[in-house]
Amino acid sequence: MAYAITQTCCNDASCVSVCPVNCIHPTPDEPEFGTTDTLYIDPRACIDCGACADACPVDAVFPVDRLRGPDTVFGDLNRDWFRDHPNDHAWGAPSFPRSLPAEVGALRIAVVGTGPSAGYTAQELLRGTSAEITMIDRLPVTGGLLRHGVAPDHQSTKRIAESFASVFHDPRLRMHLNVEIGTDLTHQELAAHHHAVVYAVGAAADRRLGIPGEDLPGSLPATAFVGWYNAEPTVPADAVELSAERVVVVGNGNVAVDVARILLTDPDRLAATDIADHALAALRRSRVREVVLLARRGPGQAAWSRAEFLALRRLPGVEVVVADHPEVRAAIEAAAEAEAGAAAEAASGTASGAALLAGLPLVPHDGDAAPGPGRRIVLRFLSAPVELSGEGRVEALTVERTAPAADGRVEGTGVRDVLRAGLVVRSIGHRGVPLPGLPFDERTGTVAHRAGRVVDPATGRPLPGTYVVGWAKRGPSGGIGANRACARETVGALLDDATARALPVPEAGRGDFERLVRKRRPDAVGLRELRAVDRAERERGEAEGRPRVKLATVAELLAAGLRR
């Protein structure tokens, strides 16, 4: 019986490299890679060896005959993808690990950040070179968005952190946490102690709506809401108020779906995860009964993945409905008429939102009235936010109905509706922030670079020994696994420069840098303290039948690290 890849696929292609018959696609060298929601296994070519299941870092691969209930759909999706993307599974040109000429010597490389892009970068360097790595993070704990961005009910996705554990414990890697570049140390100081510096700092800011009332209490970016339920130390425990019956989430990507799902999931189910204690307590007291997912465009432009949306539809005790609208109704009816074509499109990973809505109730939605009985998620398309209002905090969101325009965009119709809501979460994308000492592209919200080499925008010349990876490099797109190929490109550029003797020679040694860190940040956290934090969180979790109970503040994390 063949294997199939399911919802939690991380797209890092670990499974591709171990498949003996090359039946997992798209591979990193194929054009579809990075654009599909998941990878797929061809059941006709699969030899049932199980190597992919063993290699998968997020436990997403299972034999088709072991799929149960709603997961059985993934057997069909894997099969159907190859129906529309025929492949002879011929091997491409072999690729070999990069290495450096012996005369280059051991490099000292700093990696700023400890999230997935940083982890893949360090992994690539440690496996292919004799480099010594310094990892730095502004928080006293590692993980980045893997710890603070993945929803707590997606525990299998978080297992990819285990693949980075050996990286962080490698004897050639030194870790300095609770240290911020640009505040505690400058880029110039970091560069003076290393041959190269790789920035893996993500996209820490959020995009704004740009409407009146956006800064009222009760209006939050999704980055804050997600950080709140994931115990991100810079997000206060009281950042989210759940006393209203309706919440509006502006956006229709996977993060918006995560927010809606967490708001309406039974807290008893979340109690078995690593959700922040303060968030779990607030959700137990929550009065929220309706979450509106608001989109200014139609269902055909929905940005969520098929797997995430299907999971939302299966949320126990929660009804998912579509706010009735002539254009939306027409799109769903058209998708139903072309059911076979829609199914094929869905299997390709670019599923029509209209196709996914087939079978959901279309209901009138009066946002000015109190929500009805029960818990429900309302998908409201073709509605653009124009103003937030309220006395002292958010009480309502005014939206303007939109309509498709001839150029494929949408335009306002002038018809406005009021949605009564006590919380509005904007989930319209992340954005990078400028880094002191580095050029920044305001248009793209990324560090200016060329194939990972940071460049001076005025001259186009690379800044010697300075590199970027992850969302800070390519913008906030792609899931966890996309960072693997991204890191490989950046590391490849770095090794090319090392081979060409283009890297600057450090002015000081590794010991000098560690003394500088201790001088600037006496409370910097190293590997021993990190282990103590991990042990403390796991022990707290074991006592409550949970994977871990996160320490939610910098003070708690530092205190746990000292109890090593």
Side-chain angles (χ1 to χ4, degrees):
M1 177 61 67
Y3 279 70
I5 298 175
T6 62
Q7 176 185 345
T8 56
C9 176
C10 69
N11 273 287
D12 87 339
S14 294
C15 55
V16 172
S17 61
V18 300
C19 178
V21 292
N22 195 33
C23 74
I24 304 176
H25 297 270
T27 64
D29 57 352
E30 292 174 338
E32 296 91 350
F33 186 81
T35 63
T36 58
D37 295 335
T38 71
L39 304 183
Y40 301 91
I41 298 174
D42 188 346
R44 296 170 302 175
C46 178
I47 61 172
D48 197 23
C49 69
C52 53
D54 292 338
C56 179
V58 294
D59 197 24
V61 186
F62 297 93
V64 172
D65 61 354
R66 286 180 50 197
L67 297 176
R68 297 290 183 270
D71 287 340
T72 57
V73 67
F74 292 103
D76 297 333
L77 293 180
N78 279 252
R79 180 198 64 231
D80 292 347
W81 194 84
F82 288 95
R83 179 191 64 196
D84 301 296
H85 299 80
N87 197 302
D88 61 5
H89 308 305
W91 298 101
S95 61
F96 301 97
R98 288 292 307 272
S99 60
L100 290 172
E103 59 269 22
V104 171
L107 300 176
R108 290 201 306 275
I109 301 172
V111 179
V112 182
T114 60
S117 62
Y120 283 120
T121 299
Q123 190 177 74
E124 193 80 10
L125 287 166
L126 291 170
R127 288 177 176 176
T129 74
S130 59
E132 296 178 339
I133 311 296
T134 302
M135 294 196 82
I136 300 169
D137 199 294
R138 64 185 179 86
L139 294 177
V141 66
T142 60
L145 282 182
L146 192 56
R147 177 182 170 101
H148 299 124
V150 177
D153 57 347
H154 285 359
Q155 287 298 304
S156 58
T157 303
K158 298 189 178 194
R159 289 177 190 157
I160 200 169
E162 297 172 6
S163 69
F164 297 137
S166 61
V167 173
F168 296 156
H169 289 75
D170 192 287
R172 288 187 284 138
L173 187 146
R174 301 287 178 87
M175 192 171 290
H176 300 286
L177 308 179
N178 202 36
V179 177
E180 186 166 11
I181 304 303
T183 301
D184 302 315
L185 298 171
T186 66
H187 166 70
Q188 290 73 20
E189 289 172 325
L190 194 58
H193 292 81
H194 298 86
H195 292 87
V197 182
V198 182
Y199 285 89
V201 294
D206 61 278
R207 296 185 181 277
R208 294 178 60 83
L209 296 170
I211 61 175
E214 187 170 8
D215 293 320
L216 278 171
S219 170
L220 295 176
T223 50
F225 191 90
V226 171
W228 172 77
Y229 64 59
N230 271 325
E232 211 275 10
T234 63
V235 180
D238 60 355
V240 175
E241 170 63 52
L242 301 177
S243 59
E245 295 183 328
R246 178 181 291 119
V247 173
V248 176
V249 181
V250 182
N252 59 7
N254 283 344
V255 175
V257 168
D258 282 348
V259 171
R261 191 181 64 254
I262 294 299
L263 280 168
L264 293 180
T265 293
D266 185 342
D268 286 341
R269 297 183 67 195
L270 294 174
T273 74
D274 64 350
I275 190 170
D277 277 352
H278 57 252
L280 182 60
L283 289 165
R284 289 193 185 281
R285 300 189 302 266
S286 172
R287 298 183 63 227
V288 177
R289 293 189 292 112
E290 179 179 283
V291 178
V292 180
L293 285 175
L294 192 75
R296 62 185 297 273
R297 304 184 73 181
Q301 290 77 44
W304 52 57
S305 69
R306 176 182 176 88
E308 289 297 322
F309 186 72
L310 290 176
L312 191 70
R313 292 184 59 169
R314 300 193 298 262
L315 197 60
V318 177
E319 183 184 23
V320 180
V321 302
V322 181
D324 201 1
H325 184 290
E327 295 284 352
V328 175
R329 182 180 289 272
I332 295 174
E333 290 175 351
E337 292 175 2
E339 183 176 356
E345 182 184 12
S348 73
T350 57
S352 162
L356 293 178
L357 300 182
L360 291 179
L362 284 118
V363 301
H365 183 242
D366 182 4
D368 199 22
R375 293 178 297 158
R376 70 174 186 172
I377 294 171
V378 179
L379 308 176
R380 182 163 179 148
F381 296 97
L382 296 172
S383 297
V386 295
E387 183 179 11
L388 288 163
S389 58
E391 294 296 327
R393 66 170 292 111
V394 169
E395 296 175 356
L397 170 66
T398 300
V399 301
E400 181 178 10
R401 297 185 188 182
T402 62
D407 60 0
R409 301 185 182 184
V410 295
E411 55 189 15
T413 64
V415 178
R416 296 192 170 188
D417 299 313
V418 175
L419 307 182
R420 299 292 172 187
L423 176 65
V424 174
V425 180
R426 62 180 182 272
S427 182
I428 55 174
H430 292 72
R431 180 175 172 80
V433 296
L435 299 169
L438 295 185
F440 187 72
D441 187 331
E442 288 288 350
R443 181 181 60 84
T444 62
T446 61
V447 176
H449 75 95
R450 187 167 57 248
R453 295 179 177 91
V454 176
V455 299
D456 181 343
T459 64
R461 295 176 181 172
L463 273 61
T466 309
Y467 305 85
V468 65
V469 69
W471 280 6
K473 169 187 173 184
R474 65 183 192 273
S477 63
I480 292 171
N483 291 296
R484 189 178 188 185
C486 180
R488 185 167 293 145
E489 179 188 56
T490 294
V491 170
L494 189 159
L495 297 185
D496 285 343
D497 293 344
T499 302
R501 307 296 197 276
L503 296 181
V505 177
E507 300 171 8
R510 193 173 198 178
D512 297 313
F513 181 72
E514 293 183 355
R515 285 188 287 274
L516 177 62
V517 170
R518 288 196 297 270
K519 178 181 177 181
R520 298 286 178 81
R521 285 306 299 252
D523 57 351
V525 171
L527 180 59
R528 287 187 299 172
E529 292 86 356
L530 181 65
R531 285 172 171 166
V533 168
D534 182 65
R535 186 167 56 251
E537 290 186 338
R538 290 183 184 275
E539 288 173 353
R540 295 176 70 195
E542 186 177 0
E544 299 182 18
R546 301 169 62 183
R548 69 173 64 235
V549 173
K550 289 179 177 175
L551 301 168
T553 67
V554 169
E556 289 176 315
L557 289 163
L558 293 178
L562 292 174
R563 292 195 298 268
R564 61 181 183 273

